[in-house]
Amino acid sequence: MPIVLIVLGMAGSGKTTFVQRLVSQMSMEGKRTYNVNLDPAVLEVKFPASIDIRDSVKYKNIMKSYKLGPNGAILTCLNIFAAQFDQVVKLIEAKKDDIDYVIIDTPGQIEAFSQSASGQIITDSLACTFPCINLYIADTVRCENPNTFMSNMFYALSILYKSKIPLLICFNKIDVLDHSFALEWMKDFEQFDQNLSKVDTYLSSLSRSLSLVLEEFYKNIEACGVSAGTGKGFDKLELKFEKCKQEYYDVF
Ligand code: GTP
């Protein structure tokens, strides 16, 4: 069975660059990937997409026909596509012996996929058939601010519990800033708390309380550092995928 990798993350975290890098890295290693673009608003898909939502639903037409704003149009496109998603699952099933990984890029705004009914339908229909992993791409540079770090962790947590499939946090852009501080903050509340004190705002007290709650959650997730820009850390991803795949089979 191919492993399905669903790539999620906040706007600008580097999802598309990550998918691009992963696709080319896997192709160099002789791995066969089946790539899916689920962002209807993107002008150009920067990786070879076997399935592209833009072939089925036209973002600009949806905006005009339903008189919607940009985010409403993305959600509507996803809803229309989700209604036909059983066909995508059948297509992947038919090719399952020839594919090692299915790699899925999601829309820029994280909530369009992770908090929508269509995102749930798409994830559930894939997870019923294939081992699935959510790859949460976090911008390491932005995570240097403890409050932004906490927002990312909270998003990742909500995705983990909503989708119920294994989650791997990929701290991206480690060519700019090493992610070791983030791994430390996940392990050691006091380290996180010390850094939080440096940016004392109203939000910090919420982050402080949340970090205590999240201690338990951190034990259930895998994390690693990558640079989609330079390829650093990508050699360690496959081991992480295998570990998450095992977790998937333990649960399902
Ligand atoms: P949207 O879907 O448009 O929200 O963005 P995205 O999450 O797909 O991010 P994208 O891949 O478009 O990257 C956003 C910016 O981050 C671009 O300018 C990328 O060149 C840059 N970027 C992505 N990955 C890396 C990285 O590993 N290192 C550095 N330095 N820049 C990166």
Side-chain angles (χ1 to χ4, degrees):
M1 273 292 183
I3 302 179
V4 177
L5 306 171
I6 304 173
V7 181
L8 302 150
M10 289 189 181
S13 57
K15 296 179 290 295
T16 305
T17 315
F18 178 92
V19 170
Q20 223 181 331
R21 172 70 62 181
L22 193 61
V23 168
S24 78
Q25 178 90 9
M26 286 191 165
S27 137
M28 278 194 302
E29 290 168 7
K31 300 267 158 38
R32 299 152 307 169
T33 65
Y34 195 76
N35 315 318
V36 181
N37 171 47
L38 286 186
D39 189 347
V42 74
L43 282 180
E44 188 197 345
V45 179
K46 294 181 190 149
F47 52 88
S50 314
I51 294 177
D52 188 345
I53 186 171
R54 301 174 313 157
D55 296 334
S56 310
V57 271
K58 304 287 175 211
Y59 172 69
K60 288 215 166 135
N61 292 351
I62 296 286
M63 240 175 145
K64 271 189 211 143
S65 321
Y66 295 94
K67 298 192 169 52
L68 293 168
N71 290 320
I74 289 175
L75 277 175
T76 307
C77 290
L78 274 175
N79 286 341
I80 296 169
F81 196 68
Q84 321 158 3
F85 204 76
D86 56 320
Q87 292 172 38
V88 175
V89 174
K90 278 186 195 142
L91 267 175
I92 301 172
E93 262 194 305
K95 290 186 179 287
K96 69 174 191 292
D97 295 331
D98 305 316
I99 308 170
D100 299 305
Y101 289 96
V102 177
I103 304 174
I104 302 182
D105 193 13
T106 58
Q109 302 289 335
I110 185 170
E111 59 273 28
F113 189 83
S114 68
Q115 305 297 326
S116 67
S118 48
Q120 185 79 44
I121 291 168
I122 290 172
T123 306
D124 285 351
S125 45
L126 286 165
C128 286
T129 321
F130 308 104
C132 283
I133 306 168
N134 277 322
L135 301 185
Y136 185 89
I137 312 298
D139 186 326
T140 312
V141 185
R142 284 201 232 158
C143 282
E144 205 181 8
N145 178 326
N147 287 316
T148 312
F149 171 82
M150 189 45 67
S151 304
N152 271 283
M153 293 303 110
F154 204 62
Y155 247 120
L157 168 81
S158 70
I159 291 166
L160 176 72
Y161 289 114
K162 197 160 184 260
S163 68
K164 301 183 205 79
I165 60 173
L167 180 93
L168 171 62
I169 298 183
C170 299
F171 288 101
N172 188 29
K173 309 193 186 180
I174 59 166
D175 54 302
V176 182
L177 179 66
D178 190 75
H179 67 297
S180 44
F181 73 91
L183 298 183
E184 244 172 59
W185 289 357
M186 288 171 80
K187 275 198 219 114
D188 186 348
F189 165 75
E190 276 170 18
Q191 280 276 344
F192 177 72
D193 192 43
Q194 271 172 22
N195 283 276
L196 202 55
S197 315
K198 294 179 199 159
V199 284
D200 226 357
T201 62
Y202 282 129
L203 190 56
S204 302
S205 53
L206 175 65
S207 296
R208 187 167 290 116
S209 313
L210 284 174
S211 68
L212 284 169
V213 179
L214 293 194
E215 258 191 318
E216 203 49 42
F217 149 77
Y218 291 147
K219 290 179 196 151
N220 296 327
I221 49 165
E222 290 288 326
C224 63
V226 290
S227 165
T230 64
K232 195 174 170 189
F234 273 70
D235 53 335
K236 299 191 184 79
L237 279 179
E238 209 181 334
L239 263 179
K240 294 278 184 190
F241 295 160
E242 285 302 321
K243 208 166 167 197
C244 290
K245 179 179 161 185
Q246 199 48 54
E247 269 176 45
Y248 168 91
Y249 282 125
D250 291 346
V251 173
F252 281 85

